[in-house]
Amino acid sequence: MTIYFPEVKETVIYEGPKSKNPLAFRWYDKDKMVLGKTMEEHLRFAVAYWHTFKSEGGDPFGNATMSQAWKTYGDPMDNAFATCDAAFEFFTKLSVPFYCFHDRDLAPEGDTFSQSCSNLEKLVAHAGKLQKQTGVKLLWGTANLFSHPRYAHGAGTNPDFHVFAYGAAQVKQAIAATQELGGQNYVFWGGREGYETLLNTRLKQEQDQMAAFFHMCVEYAQEIGFTGQFLIEPKPKEPTKHQYDFDTAAVLNFLRAYDLLDHFKLNIEANHATLAGHSFEHELATAASAGRLGSVDVNRGDSLLGWDTDQFPTDLYSTTFAMLEILAAGGIGSGGLNFDAKVRRSSHETVDLFHGHIGGMDTFARGLAIAAAIIEDGVLAGFREKRYSSWNEPAAAAVLAKGSSLAACEEFVLANGEPTMKSGRQEYLENVINTFI
Ligand code: XUL
Ligand code: CO
């Protein structure tokens, strides 16, 4: 059997914060108990097949920089089998429990729809065998409805029914593939479900089409007994100028308007949050507040660049704030933390893929430990408890129970006069966070 990562001889293990070994974890100690669960159970890390094994390092100004051995067999199906072997060698050496894929990551598009289906079936069978051998599981599958030229105007929102039907047929296959591999979730990211100009667009019709598309997916899942969680991944733009799934709030509104809320949760991506002008934790908290936080794509953007740079997460504040929200939501459930992240095109060696993931896993493990310490200390919860304590008063509780009125509020003000100003203590709280970091 070909070895694709000879520079990593052993499985990457936890060696503790003092280790100088670049191929060891300093913080991710998978069996360590944190708030009653192991780190592995909390974090449920996944590798993204597309970035880690399919990226070539090209950009609009330059050619591919990454020509790893598994991409060089010539025949696309030979490359696909080799890529799958390389992927499972990587998962095992990294000791990561999950992976995620698009249908077209796993198997190449054929000359016809039927050939694409048959290519996918062959690779699904191969991946299934490797899952059994290694114990690595599928966190989620998805369909790539954005790369092929036919999807230039979208799939579910396409003005041409023929393309819509093609996308629906492709998703049918991708859901079945995900089910066959025991996928715990299925993701919809609408990369081209949006528009470039209203001059040629019927906005309401496109959203109606998308909702009909999702309803058919829900029915199909029920029909075949797929019990994985459906997830929608918001992103405001890129590749289209305006994407309908702009952010969590827009997605929740869409799901409510079209009676889909019970069937979908959200897959929140850090860099998509920042592109929408939000913090990562804002998007997590917004999804969680509706009980719809499903899974997370972990990465980071660059504050100086306005696009989706998909860098590996290394910012301890960001992972701490994210883990505070995830823990407050009761954990990530059947979701996980998927590294939708890629190494820079100048980091073109296979070992760079390990450095990226090890750093990301360590940064989240550390964020988890810090967030757990903050929660155990109770300082934030205590502060919030006090800050909202006036809502325990009978007149206030009646408002929340929808048993009050404007007149009752007026009466309260007439009896109690001017409210006293109270500080939000933001600077104090920021200092408190630093004592834990
Ligand atoms: C693109 C992106 C996708 C989705 C899956 O920005 O995040 O890779 O996660 O289609
Ligand atoms: Co993503």
Side-chain angles (χ1 to χ4, degrees), residues 83-160:
T83 303
C84 198
D85 292 340
F88 279 83
E89 183 191 334
F90 184 85
F91 304 150
T92 313
K93 286 186 167 170
L94 186 64
S95 170
V96 74
F98 294 102
Y99 72 109
C100 301
F101 67 74
H102 300 83
D103 50 358
R104 299 296 181 252
D105 304 331
L106 212 53
E109 180 110 18
D111 291 335
T112 61
F113 179 73
S114 304
Q115 200 191 342
S116 300
C117 296
S118 137
N119 288 352
L120 183 61
E121 270 162 33
K122 288 182 187 136
L123 266 298
V124 164
H126 192 63
K129 216 170 56 197
L130 293 172
Q131 282 187 204
K132 257 204 202 101
Q133 269 169 28
T134 60
V136 176
K137 299 190 201 68
L138 179 62
L139 184 66
W140 51 261
T142 186
N144 179 331
L145 302 180
F146 44 89
S147 294
H148 194 280
R150 83 173 69 83
Y151 295 123
H153 305 274
T157 60
N158 201 292
D160 180 355

Side-chain angles (χ1 to χ4, degrees), residues 50 102 140 142 146 187 189 233 235 269 272 297 308 340:
W50 51 102
H102 300 83
W140 51 261
T142 186
F146 44 89
V187 163
W189 170 61
E233 183 177 322
K235 185 175 183 182
E269 177 162 329
H272 297 181
D297 272 9
D308 198 13
D340 197 349

Side-chain angles (χ1 to χ4, degrees), residues 115-232:
Q115 200 191 342
S116 300
C117 296
S118 137
N119 288 352
L120 183 61
E121 270 162 33
K122 288 182 187 136
L123 266 298
V124 164
H126 192 63
K129 216 170 56 197
L130 293 172
Q131 282 187 204
K132 257 204 202 101
Q133 269 169 28
T134 60
V136 176
K137 299 190 201 68
L138 179 62
L139 184 66
W140 51 261
T142 186
N144 179 331
L145 302 180
F146 44 89
S147 294
H148 194 280
R150 83 173 69 83
Y151 295 123
H153 305 274
T157 60
N158 201 292
D160 180 355
F161 172 70
H162 196 153
V163 182
F164 175 99
Y166 206 108
Q170 191 181 326
V171 165
K172 175 176 177 286
Q173 298 292 323
I175 294 174
T178 302
Q179 182 186 34
E180 194 175 330
L181 291 172
Q184 301 191 12
N185 307 271
Y186 182 89
V187 163
F188 297 87
W189 170 61
R192 295 201 191 270
E193 313 298 4
Y195 65 86
E196 299 293 338
T197 170
L198 282 174
L199 296 176
N200 64 12
T201 302
R202 285 185 182 165
L203 192 140
K204 166 82 164 67
Q205 175 170 334
E206 293 202 355
Q207 291 188 323
D208 289 351
Q209 284 179 210
M210 200 66 227
F213 190 99
F214 285 140
H215 275 289
M216 294 194 302
C217 293
V218 169
E219 278 155 27
Y220 177 65
Q222 284 163 353
E223 202 181 297
I224 63 169
F226 175 64
T227 53
Q229 175 66 53
F230 276 171
L231 301 168
I232 293 183

